[in-house]
Every structure is written in C-alpha cells, then in structure tokens.
C-alpha cells in the first residue's frame, strides 16, 4: 500500500495520471491497527477438506464464516468461493453490511437472503439457483482445491447489479472496490 501511495505522489508531482487499478489482481493482505485482516470458519480449516454438508454430496449449504480486523475505510464485505483448477466463481455474496463480521451457516438461497439482511447473491452455476452451491467435482476425479475469499470493499453497495447479473461480472466489480482480502483454502474429492 505504501509503495502505491509513493508512486501516486511521484506521478502527481510530475503532472501524470495515476495508473488504472488492475481488477485482475487480488488486493493485498492489510494490517489494520488491530492486526491482520483474517478469515476463519468452524467448518473449514485452512488447507483441510470441505465437510460433506457443504458440498453436493451433503446438504450443499454454505459454511459458517467469520472475519476480523478489516482495514479502515471498509464500507461493506463480499465473499467469493472459487475453484482453483479452473478459476470459476461458485458463490458470490456481496453488499454484506460493514457492521457484520460473520456469515451464518446455510445462507438462504435468494438474491436478498433473509438471514444476511442487506446482502445480495448472484445466480449459481446451476440454472435457476441463486446463492451457494458448494464443491461438486466429477466423481473419481482428482482432488479439487477451492478458495473462500472475504473482501473488504470501499463502497456500501455495488452498483449496477440485478438478480440476473452473472457471478463473473459481480466478482470483477468486487475486485475494483476491494481494499483488502483474506482467504481460506480447502479441498474436496468425490
């Protein structure tokens, strides 16, 4: 962060414009006055395996998540579950109020889930389903790795998103407004 600020000051002193923010780059881990921005879950251990309940082999419900120490200026949060082999978004929830520091287990499958007031979700990778659908690699395939990322955003609401907005588009907007991110990585094999 300090390097970017120094670069912006040099560019301004020379009368040049700041470089555009690259939306394909993940935001850095940021240390707040209270410590590092972190993501935890009683259902997911970093580097461990998804419980069947959070996959297509179980109830296929979202895991409980909690985060702490978001950076100053955070106005909302977003969470994205994506596969690592082919970086495909599986679940995108955004507009999570800045006052929240957790998502409950089994977030309701709806654009505006009742158990996370103010938040919104995109359609899933399965037609006619909105919200969380967890890991579901082909049976007998090798082990798949997934990343759950919480983003601290500089806006209270993402603009231009409707119930039918694709996951990829929402994720790009999230990256454009991300101040910082924290991740958990887990695996699943069927």
């Amino acid at each position: 962060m300090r390097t970017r600020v120094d670069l912006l000051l040099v560019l301004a002193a020379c009368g040049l414009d700041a470089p555009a923010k690259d939306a394909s780059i993940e935001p850095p881990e940021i240390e707040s006055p209270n410590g590092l921005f972190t993501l935890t879950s009683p259902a997911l251990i970093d580097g461990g395996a998804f419980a069947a309940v959070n996959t297509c082999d179980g109830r296929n419900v979202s895991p409980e998540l909690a985060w702490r120490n978001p950076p100053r200026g955070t106005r909302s949060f977003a969470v994205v579950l994506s596969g690592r082999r082919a970086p495909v978004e599986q679940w995108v929830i955004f507009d999570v109020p800045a006052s929240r520091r957790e998502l409950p287990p089994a977030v309701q499958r709806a654009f505006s889930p009742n158990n996370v007031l103010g938040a919104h979700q995109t359609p899933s990778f399965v037609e006619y389903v909105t919200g969380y659908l967890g890991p579901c690699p082909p049976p007998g395939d090798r082990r798949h790795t997934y990343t759950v990322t919480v983003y601290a955003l500089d806006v209270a609401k993402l603009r231009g998103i409707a119930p039918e907005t694709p996951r990829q588009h929402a994720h790009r907007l999230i990256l454009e407004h991300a101040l910082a991110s924290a991740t958990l990585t887990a695996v699943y094999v069927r």
Side-chain angles (χ1 to χ4, degrees):
M1 188 71 167
R2 174 94 175 123
T3 304
R4 180 160 173 85
V5 170
D6 290 343
L7 173 64
L8 294 176
L9 290 173
V10 169
L11 290 172
C14 295
L16 300 172
D17 290 331
K21 192 171 184 180
D22 184 350
S24 66
I25 297 175
E26 290 290 325
E29 290 184 345
I30 299 271
E31 183 106 21
S32 76
N34 300 323
L36 194 62
F37 183 41
T38 57
L39 174 64
T40 60
S41 173
L44 287 174
I45 297 171
D46 194 37
F50 271 88
V53 70
N54 302 122
T55 72
C56 64
D57 293 320
R59 290 185 36 232
N60 214 356
V61 295
S62 61
E64 182 178 355
L65 300 171
W67 51 88
R68 59 188 178 134
N69 303 322
R72 216 173 279 133
T74 298
R75 299 191 55 213
S76 70
F77 296 100
V79 174
V80 177
L81 167 66
S82 56
R84 276 229 183 132
R85 180 192 275 178
V88 173
E89 299 85 354
Q90 299 230 171
W91 178 43
V92 178
I93 182 169
F94 55 95
D95 294 345
V96 177
S99 59
R100 288 194 75 118
R101 295 292 183 273
E102 80 291 323
L103 288 179
V107 171
Q108 180 190 21
R109 285 191 188 111
F111 177 66
S112 300
N114 289 331
N115 57 348
V116 188
L117 294 178
H120 297 101
Q121 299 180 102
T122 63
S124 182
F125 57 91
V126 173
E127 195 173 355
Y128 304 114
V129 176
T130 295
Y132 182 89
L133 286 178
C136 196
D141 202 4
R142 66 186 173 122
R143 170 171 107 150
H144 285 240
T145 302
Y146 300 86
T147 302
V148 180
T149 305
V150 61
Y151 296 93
L153 306 182
D154 63 3
V155 293
K157 300 278 183 195
L158 290 178
R159 300 282 180 232
I161 295 187
E164 64 278 357
T165 299
R167 300 178 313 282
Q168 302 83 349
H169 178 71
H171 193 192
R172 280 193 300 276
L173 287 174
I174 289 165
L175 291 173
E176 287 175 15
H177 291 283
L179 297 170
S181 65
T183 62
L184 285 174
T185 300
V187 298
Y188 193 64
V189 64
R190 296 176 73 203

